Amino acid sequence: REEAGLILAQMARIELFWIFLDDFYSVEALKKLNLEGFDWSSRHAGGQTILVRHVRNTLGQPAEKFVDGLETLDWLIRSGASIEQTCTRGEFSFGWTDLPDVPPVSLQVEGLNAISFARALQKKMRETLEHWKDEEAFLAKVLESLAEAFTQSGPNAAGPRVSIHEGIAELWEKSLAAKESHDLTIVTADGVVTAHAHM
């Protein structure tokens, strides 16, 4: 019975993850989800990978939100979302409902990974660049982020994930909280932290 409850709780967290991703919640909101054991190779119900889905969702935001989209993209990659994973099905169509004279950009995503998706979409937008300048510039930054993540750590940018006992995490938290006795500086994916050298 307890195991069934844990499974339901994990399913709810996964559902929340996709809702947050689709509704363009902040990276801070995504970080608050307990994603221990989350399968970073999972795909959206539409067959799109996590990264392709996120880039797609970011393009639907105002251009001033693109910086937030890039921050979330970097976090997703560091967390374990695969750059190389391909979509199993789906179509992307993007256009302006308030500008009916601007032809929408459509793209089949089956077989595309995050890199090939961004590049194919960028090429299509360049055909009528006068309508897609901000979006094409965003896709260029996406490709730069993907290249940086890929070259920093190779094909598995985030590396394997492991679970730790809650008591160990609490000990680490207490040690991190005792900042006055820290004698070590660590540069992490989320910024600089200090700690005790014996840790």
Side-chain angles (χ1 to χ4, degrees):
R1 187 172 215 170
E2 184 178 325
E3 187 175 320
L6 291 173
I7 291 170
L8 289 173
Q10 179 65 11
M11 289 172 56
R13 283 190 293 273
I14 292 168
E15 185 176 10
L16 281 171
F17 171 81
W18 287 108
I19 289 169
F20 282 21
L21 199 67
D22 278 352
D23 288 351
F24 204 72
Y25 277 67
S26 71
V27 70
E28 282 72 30
L30 284 164
K31 286 179 181 179
K32 288 179 185 175
L33 294 174
N34 176 3
L35 295 173
E36 182 179 340
F38 180 72
D39 179 6
W40 289 97
S41 66
S42 62
R43 290 180 179 87
H44 186 268
Q48 298 164 348
T49 68
I50 291 170
L51 297 180
V52 167
R53 188 75 181 181
H54 174 65
V55 170
R56 168 204 172 273
N57 293 339
T58 303
L59 284 167
Q61 302 301 315
E64 58 269 10
K65 294 281 195 176
F66 289 172
V67 171
D68 297 336
L70 290 169
E71 181 184 357
T72 301
L73 179 74
D74 290 340
W75 178 79
L76 290 168
I77 294 167
R78 286 192 316 267
S79 297
S82 171
I83 295 170
E84 304 88 14
Q85 182 185 19
T86 59
C87 299
T88 55
R89 65 183 186 280
E91 182 177 350
F92 176 81
S93 186
F94 185 69
W96 303 113
T97 54
D98 56 338
L99 300 172
D101 294 340
V102 176
V105 176
S106 296
L107 183 66
Q108 289 293 326
V109 299
E110 183 176 349
L112 300 181
N113 62 29
I115 297 168
S116 55
F117 170 75
R119 182 63 177 151
L121 194 53
Q122 187 183 45
K123 283 182 173 182
K124 286 203 174 242
M125 286 182 169
R126 285 180 178 169
E127 292 172 8
T128 54
L129 188 58
E130 66 274 11
H131 303 295
W132 307 110
K133 287 181 184 173
D134 291 337
E135 292 77 12
E136 190 276 338
F138 166 71
L139 290 170
K141 290 184 186 296
V142 165
L143 289 168
E144 289 173 13
S145 289
L146 295 173
E148 182 178 331
F150 195 75
T151 57
Q152 281 181 355
S153 301
N156 298 315
R161 298 178 59 87
V162 296
S163 297
I164 60 167
H165 190 276
E166 188 175 326
I168 299 294
E170 289 173 4
L171 175 65
W172 290 347
E173 287 174 3
K174 288 177 185 174
S175 293
L176 283 172
K179 292 186 184 298
E180 65 281 349
S181 60
H182 287 184
D183 56 356
L184 176 68
T185 301
I186 303 169
V187 179
T188 70
D190 291 327
V192 176
V193 294
T194 58
H196 296 98
H198 71 276
M199 296 291 288

